[in-house]
Amino acid sequence: MAREETTLATLSESDRPGPDPTGGRTGGRAHVVLPAFNEEASLPPLLRRLADVARTERVTVWVVDDGSADATVAVAESEYGGLDVRVVRHLVNLGLGRAVQSGLRAALEEASPDDVVVVMDADDTHDPALIRALQAEITAGADVAICSRFVPGGDDRTAPFGRRLLSRGAAQLFHRALDVDGVRDFTSGYRAYRASLLARASAHWGERLIEEQGFACMVELLLKLRHCRPVITEVPLALRYDRKQGPSKLKLRRTVVQYLKLLARDRLSPAPYRKL
């Protein structure tokens, strides 16, 4: 199996970002991780929107090409108004979990303590303008900020019925079964993390930080980060599924099974033996 080796920076728990007094920005640099598999049609409009954000914010984009068979890499390496885009490549498709893991690892190698790591979908269904709101939440004291479809102002009406049912059902299941304060949208793929929080978690779990290969990886990461006792907040997300190019990569039945297995494994796994 193809594998990418990277060393993560370890940041102190006491490294907490304060408000950025210069330039009117909301905080440190935003490292935006885009796991991408055959997204040549969706990436150009998304990267142009990210370039608009980069006019007022410090942004580095990490496109993780997960073994795409189309022109995803060539599209990502094109020019988008001076936007800083880096490409991380998997020679074969390893799944969403490994793509997120590779993107986080690459971003953390360059991230400073006051930086923010943002993970969002590469299919142009997430609005990059929300990065400012996510950064503001981190600057105000949050460790994780989630773009949520299930808070006032959130909206998922453009998504197919089956996908909406899965997301809402999973949200209810995890909300009832798990003790994670401040979370309504457990499966959202659009989140911001304080870089120092991710580095602390990575120092403990290493390659096991994300073990799920499919869409359950986003829930898994949240469950592991909760052992770091993070402050979690949510901002409204109006999902733009109407902008999606091509078929969905989410398999409903497989994802349901992954969620149930993840929940069972979380119940059986012991908490970390030391404070994170």
Side-chain angles (χ1 to χ4, degrees):
M1 178 178 292
R3 185 173 178 176
E4 185 179 356
E5 297 295 338
T6 310
T7 302
L8 292 176
T10 302
L11 306 177
S12 169
E13 180 178 358
S14 63
D15 290 329
R16 295 293 183 180
D20 184 351
T22 63
R25 296 186 174 97
T26 54
R29 176 172 295 274
H31 294 267
V32 181
V33 175
L34 300 177
F37 177 62
N38 293 339
E39 296 290 2
E40 66 173 332
S42 298
L43 273 177
L46 174 59
L47 292 174
R48 285 193 291 269
R49 289 185 234 278
L50 283 163
D52 289 340
V53 175
R55 293 175 183 173
T56 58
E57 309 293 328
R58 291 174 290 170
V59 176
T60 297
V61 177
W62 302 86
V63 176
V64 184
D65 173 54
D66 192 27
S68 297
D70 63 1
T72 291
V73 172
V75 166
E77 292 177 340
S78 300
E79 174 65 26
Y80 295 93
L83 181 66
D84 182 9
V85 180
R86 321 282 181 88
V87 176
V88 179
R89 298 196 66 181
H90 292 170
L91 297 182
V92 297
N93 182 255
L94 300 177
L96 178 61
R98 289 295 299 275
V100 173
Q101 175 90 311
S102 293
L104 295 181
R105 184 190 304 119
L108 285 174
E109 285 188 332
E110 294 199 10
S112 299
D114 63 340
D115 287 350
V116 174
V117 180
V118 179
V119 179
M120 61 189 299
D121 290 352
D123 60 3
D124 199 29
T125 60
H126 294 160
D127 184 2
L130 286 174
I131 290 174
R132 299 185 182 96
L134 293 172
Q135 285 185 302
E137 291 293 316
I138 302 295
T139 300
D143 298 298
V144 180
I146 300 173
C147 288
S148 173
R149 296 157 289 184
F150 308 137
V151 296
D155 187 2
D156 65 347
R157 286 176 293 181
T158 59
F161 175 77
R163 192 178 184 118
R164 294 177 64 194
L165 184 64
L166 174 64
S167 298
R168 291 171 181 270
Q172 289 296 319
L173 172 64
F174 289 118
H175 180 71
R176 293 176 181 274
L178 301 170
D179 182 20
V180 184
D181 291 334
V183 181
R184 297 188 188 182
D185 196 341
F186 282 85
T187 62
S188 173
Y190 194 178
R191 301 180 191 155
Y193 308 90
R194 191 185 295 276
S196 55
L197 172 74
L198 285 176
R200 283 162 49 204
S202 294
H204 177 77
W205 276 285
E207 289 293 321
R208 294 179 52 249
L209 181 62
I210 298 177
E211 298 173 281
E212 292 287 339
Q213 295 184 355
F215 285 81
C217 70
M218 299 305 294
V219 181
E220 178 192 14
L221 180 57
L222 194 61
L223 296 185
K224 287 180 175 174
L225 289 178
R226 83 186 192 276
H227 294 297
C228 298
R229 299 175 180 84
V231 175
I232 305 176
T233 61
E234 295 188 319
V235 301
L237 168 66
L239 188 67
R240 291 300 306 271
Y241 207 87
D242 54 312
R243 294 202 300 231
K244 183 176 178 61
Q245 302 286 331
S248 173
K249 301 175 182 68
L250 183 145
K251 307 301 181 184
L252 290 177
R253 182 177 299 179
R254 180 187 305 171
T255 304
V256 168
V257 172
Q258 289 173 345
Y259 286 156
L260 294 175
K261 287 183 176 179
L262 175 62
L263 181 59
R265 191 172 74 236
D266 181 77
R267 287 296 185 92
L268 295 174
S269 299
Y273 60 89
R274 60 181 176 85
K275 183 178 178 180
L276 300 184

